[in-house]
């Protein structure tokens, strides 16, 4: 039995809404981070994951989301807005490239 890192076991204390809009090819995430100031919020995205981290009292609370259906990846169209304590993230999606067969 392996130990799970604390960041995966600790509950993310901020209300979060995740919506995938297939027809628009977009993932939208809204997180109520109030009263965290902007300087304490970090948003990172790669082709398959969205990471949101908030520093509170010297500790970092984070949540990593991998909510895309199989076969999709995040594209280059990305936007994050922090307004009145609410973080809104919008990520465009695209078909995930298929690996090439070896030996060809």
């Amino acid at each position: 039995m392996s130990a799970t890192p604390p960041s995966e076991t600790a509950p993310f204390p901020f209300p979060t809404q995740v919506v995938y809009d297939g027809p628009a090819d977009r993932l939208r995430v809204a997180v109520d981070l109030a009263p965290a100031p902007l300087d304490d919020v970090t948003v990172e995205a790669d082709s398959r994951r969205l990471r949101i981290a908030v520093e509170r009292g010297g500790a970092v609370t984070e949540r990593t989301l991998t909510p895309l259906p199989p076969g999709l990846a995040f594209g280059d169209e990305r936007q994050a807005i922090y307004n009145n304590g609410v973080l809104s993230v919008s990520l465009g999606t695209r078909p995930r490239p298929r690996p090439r067969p070896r030996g060809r």
Side-chain angles (χ1 to χ4, degrees), residues 13-17 30-35 82 84-87:
F14 305 102
T16 305
Q17 179 184 33
V31 187
D32 184 353
L33 298 175
Y82 190 63
N84 292 329
V86 176
L87 174 66

Side-chain angles (χ1 to χ4, degrees), residues 42-88:
T42 302
V43 179
E44 299 171 333
D46 63 21
S47 65
R48 292 286 300 163
R49 292 174 194 83
L50 170 64
R51 178 181 171 266
I52 300 169
V54 182
E55 184 178 339
R56 293 179 8 161
V60 175
T61 302
E62 66 180 67
R63 180 165 184 192
T64 301
L65 301 166
T66 55
L68 287 177
L72 288 181
F74 293 127
D76 293 333
E77 191 177 330
R78 302 170 182 198
Q79 182 180 41
I81 298 171
Y82 190 63
N83 187 30
N84 292 329
V86 176
L87 174 66
S88 300

Side-chain angles (χ1 to χ4, degrees), residues 1 14 16 19 41 63-64 69 74 91 94 96 98:
M1 189 166 166
F14 305 102
T16 305
V19 176
V41 177
R63 180 165 184 192
T64 301
F74 293 127
L91 301 165
R94 58 175 170 74
R96 188 174 188 179
R98 294 181 181 215

